[in-house]
């Protein structure tokens, strides 16, 4: 069972999922706060390099299975052309201006 992106609780996270699934790099970048950071499997990564490699050049796609923490934590099936599909966890830090200052992902 998946949650449709339109039904996700947090507006910034909902926009993040929509941008990933639409392969909208420009829209994705507008969601991030200046100096935003991210980690993958517990290690901080270079944000620009990671999103290009793991999302936009490899057709990344999120199918959200469940959300918690007011919509700022997700469990999702994530797939891309590089790694195939895997079950992943995502956590987001959203600032008062509704921009994402950090996201963390890894295998669930």
């Amino acid at each position: 069972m998946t949650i449709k992106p339109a039904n996700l609780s947090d507006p910034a996270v909902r926009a993040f999922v929509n941008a990933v699934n639409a392969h909208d790099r420009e829209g994705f970048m507008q969601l991030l706060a200046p100096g935003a950071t991210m980690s993958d499997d517990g290690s901080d990564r270079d944000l620009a390099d990671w999103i290009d490699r793991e999302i936009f050049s490899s057709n990344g796609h999120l199918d959200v299975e469940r959300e918690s923490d007011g919509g700022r934590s997700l469990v999702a099936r994530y797939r891309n052309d590089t790694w195939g599909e895997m079950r992943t966890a995502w956590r987001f830090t959203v600032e008062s201006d509704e921009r994402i200052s950090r996201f963390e992902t890894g295998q669930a």
Side-chain angles (χ1 to χ4, degrees), residues 11 18 23-24 33-35 41 54 58 62 66-67 73-75 77-78 84 86 89 99 105:
N18 282 325
H23 310 290
D24 179 3
D41 283 329
E54 299 292 337
S58 61
L62 279 162
R66 69 174 187 261
E67 64 176 359
S73 293
L74 307 177
V75 173
R77 289 187 321 276
Y78 184 76
M86 65 193 84
R99 292 172 77 186
T105 187

Side-chain angles (χ1 to χ4, degrees), residues 5 8 10-20 27-28 31 100:
L8 293 172
D10 186 274
V13 174
R14 181 170 55 241
F16 180 100
V17 172
N18 282 325
V20 168
F28 180 95
L31 300 170
I100 296 167

Side-chain angles (χ1 to χ4, degrees), residues 49-67:
D49 175 65
W50 190 91
I51 64 170
D52 283 339
R53 185 171 24 87
E54 299 292 337
I55 299 174
F56 296 107
S57 69
S58 61
N59 297 305
H61 189 89
L62 279 162
D63 288 315
V64 178
E65 295 179 347
R66 69 174 187 261
E67 64 176 359

Side-chain angles (χ1 to χ4, degrees), residues 2-51:
T2 61
I3 301 171
K4 292 180 182 177
N7 295 335
L8 293 172
S9 300
D10 186 274
V13 174
R14 181 170 55 241
F16 180 100
V17 172
N18 282 325
V20 168
N21 291 351
H23 310 290
D24 179 3
R25 188 182 195 286
E26 184 178 325
F28 180 95
M29 295 305 293
Q30 291 174 0
L31 300 170
L32 301 179
T37 61
M38 64 84 54
S39 70
D40 185 358
D41 283 329
S43 298
D44 277 13
R45 309 284 186 191
D46 178 272
L47 181 82
D49 175 65
W50 190 91
I51 64 170

Side-chain angles (χ1 to χ4, degrees), residues 69-107:
D69 190 27
R72 293 188 177 175
S73 293
L74 307 177
V75 173
R77 289 187 321 276
Y78 184 76
R79 66 181 179 272
N80 66 25
D81 293 346
T82 304
W83 305 108
E85 184 173 287
M86 65 193 84
R87 198 154 184 261
T88 56
W90 299 75
R91 282 190 310 270
F92 297 88
T93 303
V94 180
E95 299 304 314
S96 59
D97 65 358
E98 295 299 317
R99 292 172 77 186
I100 296 167
S101 60
R102 181 169 177 83
F103 67 92
E104 299 170 358
T105 187
Q107 293 197 42

